[in-house]
Amino acid sequence: MRILFLNPSLVPPSTTAGMDRFPMLPPEVEGDILQPVWFESSSDLAAHLLAPADPYFRAGNFRYFFSYPVGPYNGKARRKTFHFFVSQALKLHRERPYDAIVVYSHQTTGMIGVLISAMTGVPLIVEIVTAPALVNITERSVPTFFDRLKKLYSDLCLHIAVLKSRRVHLLYDEQLDGYPLLRRKARSVFHDFVTTSSVGAKNEASDQPFIFLVGAPWFLKGADRAIEAFRMIADEFPRVRLCIQGYYPDVDALRTLIGNSERIEVLNAVPHKETFERMRQASVVVLPSRCEGLPRVLIEAMSCGVPVVASDVGGIPSLVRDGVDGYVVPNGDVRELAARLRQLLSDKTLREQMGNAARTRAHKEYSEAHYATAFTRMIAEATTQPSRGPMEPAGG
């Protein structure tokens, strides 16, 4: 089965073994990935990858073809990326036809996928990577007119991309429940790729216990809620810190929320390996997000045996078994968040029990092998599914 994958991320493929999903797929799946990157030239990218990047970079049975939108990722850069996606896809398809096109995200990338699918006749698979009912309107306390306009654009793209696709990849069963026209679309339901085997076992630093939040942007991930909850319990646990890690261009606003507290730290974003090392030493991982799909950071935390406390948005309630792997709290309920953090910090045995349960489940149900099997099944079902007819739900 030969696929074309459109990836809008500017982050180049990982050079660390096991961190890239495509080489992990079985031999019967191969193809090409089209992706813009933040580097200015193929020689700069090759120096990063330690391998040739022109005309492509090979990873297992897949080839990466890159675009280099120099400068800020503005309208001009987006037009260049659009042209790259369409022209390169048509060129490669003429050389050797694809069996399926897979696009990451239903928005602009989804629209480009619809266009390429219409021009080539190749079936389209759309990956829905967030909670579409919450996207764009949860990025600040009061959504702006532009936020609401972006939400309308997202919903329009969602309907077009899903209705024109052969199949959708959902992260959790209820992801399209807010959209009656899309509920019966053929679907494969499984998690995103997470390197569960690369995350070592928990090694809690008992001399410096800390609560760990990883994610950006900070408002969307609920860092302000974590800070408020931590303040409620800080006096009860004088040795515990709150560590917040991510790439925050608006870090001054976050530091204003922190004030003069010496026990709340903002950590710069670091590579996965260093993040995993920090995570392994955490007492609890917290994620009181306002919008989520199925957050990989929670799967990573569970993989190394750290209990989690997270809000009940998106696919989190299907990922975290409340009272078993950690706790799920009502979205925005800071007092409940503080209460659950207090409960875990007060009871090391409870943390160990929940962490062990989470680690066992993550390595069984969210492993790289489980992902590869589900992804391969999705491609097979999309390429054998009739192009017309009733749109019945299908398991993933």
Side-chain angles (χ1 to χ4, degrees):
M1 296 177 289
R2 178 169 163 78
I3 70 170
L4 173 69
F5 189 90
L6 304 187
N7 183 5
S9 172
L10 294 173
V11 181
S14 175
T15 57
T16 303
M19 297 298 294
D20 186 351
R21 61 168 153 169
F22 294 104
M24 306 291 287
L25 296 176
E28 60 263 33
V29 184
E30 53 96 17
D32 301 319
I33 301 104
L34 305 185
Q35 180 180 353
V37 286
W38 57 45
F39 290 91
E40 294 188 358
S41 68
S42 59
S43 58
D44 292 338
L45 178 59
H48 169 78
L49 296 173
L50 302 179
D54 186 16
Y56 57 79
F57 167 73
R58 178 169 288 281
N61 290 326
F62 284 83
R63 301 180 301 176
Y64 278 88
F65 292 83
F66 301 103
S67 172
Y68 306 90
V70 178
Y73 203 63
N74 52 22
K76 182 178 179 181
R78 287 184 173 86
R79 289 192 294 274
K80 181 178 180 181
T81 300
F82 172 86
H83 180 267
F84 163 72
F85 276 149
V86 176
S87 61
Q88 188 75 341
L90 296 178
K91 175 180 179 291
L92 293 171
H93 179 68
R94 285 193 297 267
E95 294 174 357
R96 186 180 171 198
Y98 295 107
D99 298 307
I101 299 167
V102 185
V103 295
Y104 185 87
S105 174
H106 66 275
Q107 298 196 45
T108 302
T109 316
M111 295 299 93
I112 297 172
V114 168
L115 176 61
I116 296 172
S117 177
M119 296 174 74
T120 60
V122 178
L124 175 67
I125 301 170
V126 179
E127 295 192 323
I128 312 297
V129 297
T130 187
L134 297 173
V135 72
N136 298 128
I137 56 173
T138 51
E139 296 179 357
R140 64 196 91 243
S141 56
V142 179
T144 65
F145 172 77
F146 188 54
D147 292 333
R148 297 186 186 281
L149 198 61
K150 289 193 294 181
K151 175 63 164 60
L152 288 175
Y153 172 73
S154 172
D155 284 348
L156 177 62
C157 291
L158 180 72
H159 281 83
I160 295 173
V162 172
L163 291 174
K164 291 294 184 180
S165 68
R166 182 71 65 83
R167 196 172 194 87
V168 291
H169 169 198
L170 301 184
L171 299 174
Y172 56 98
D173 284 315
E174 303 82 11
Q175 206 165 358
L176 294 179
D177 279 4
Y179 301 89
L181 290 177
L182 310 181
R183 290 175 185 167
R184 294 180 63 81
K185 189 67 181 181
R187 60 185 60 189
S188 297
V189 183
F190 59 99
H191 58 96
D192 207 344
F193 179 77
V194 180
T195 55
T196 56
S197 65
S198 298
V199 184
K202 181 174 173 56
N203 180 27
E204 183 175 330
S206 57
D207 57 328
Q208 291 185 319
F210 65 96
I211 302 165
F212 196 30
L213 186 155
V214 184
W218 63 262
F219 184 83
L220 192 71
K221 298 298 181 180
D224 56 323
R225 295 170 171 176
I227 291 168
E228 186 178 352
F230 179 74
R231 290 189 188 281
M232 291 180 180
I233 63 172
D235 290 344
E236 303 171 45
F237 305 96
R239 294 170 52 247
V240 176
R241 296 172 295 140
L242 171 62
C243 298
I244 302 170
Q245 175 185 305
Y247 172 64
Y248 306 123
D250 55 346
V251 71
D252 288 343
L254 183 59
R255 293 194 185 280
T256 298
L257 289 174
I258 294 171
N260 59 4
S261 175
E262 297 180 355
R263 291 167 52 200
I264 304 177
E265 301 179 46
V266 179
L267 307 175
N268 291 332
V270 294
H272 276 92
K273 185 176 180 180
E274 294 174 52
T275 300
F276 293 160
E277 186 58 33
R278 288 175 176 173
M279 189 177 289
R280 291 174 57 232
Q281 298 180 39
S283 302
V284 183
V285 166
V286 64
L287 196 69
S289 299
R290 292 172 165 88
C291 177
E292 286 290 355
L294 195 74
R296 281 175 285 189
V297 67
L298 292 185
I299 300 176
E300 291 164 351
M302 293 167 63
S303 297
C304 62
V306 178
V308 300
V309 181
S311 53
D312 62 348
V313 297
I316 291 176
S318 67
L319 171 63
V320 181
R321 297 172 296 181
D322 187 49
V324 179
D325 310 308
Y327 291 114
V328 179
V329 301
N331 184 21
D333 192 336
V334 177
R335 290 190 176 278
E336 180 67 11
L337 176 63
R340 292 308 190 184
L341 289 173
R342 177 187 293 113
Q343 192 171 354
L344 283 167
L345 291 172
S346 301
D347 192 337
K348 182 178 180 181
T349 300
L350 179 63
R351 294 200 304 272
E352 291 175 348
Q353 289 174 346
M354 287 189 168
N356 290 336
R359 180 171 170 81
T360 298
R361 182 163 176 248
H363 283 266
K364 179 180 180 181
E365 299 182 25
Y366 299 99
S367 67
E368 297 95 327
H370 188 276
Y371 174 87
T373 298
F375 187 93
T376 304
R377 185 187 304 123
M378 176 180 71
I379 302 299
E381 290 173 343
T383 54
T384 58
Q385 173 187 331
S387 59
R388 295 185 180 274
M391 297 186 294
E392 297 294 337

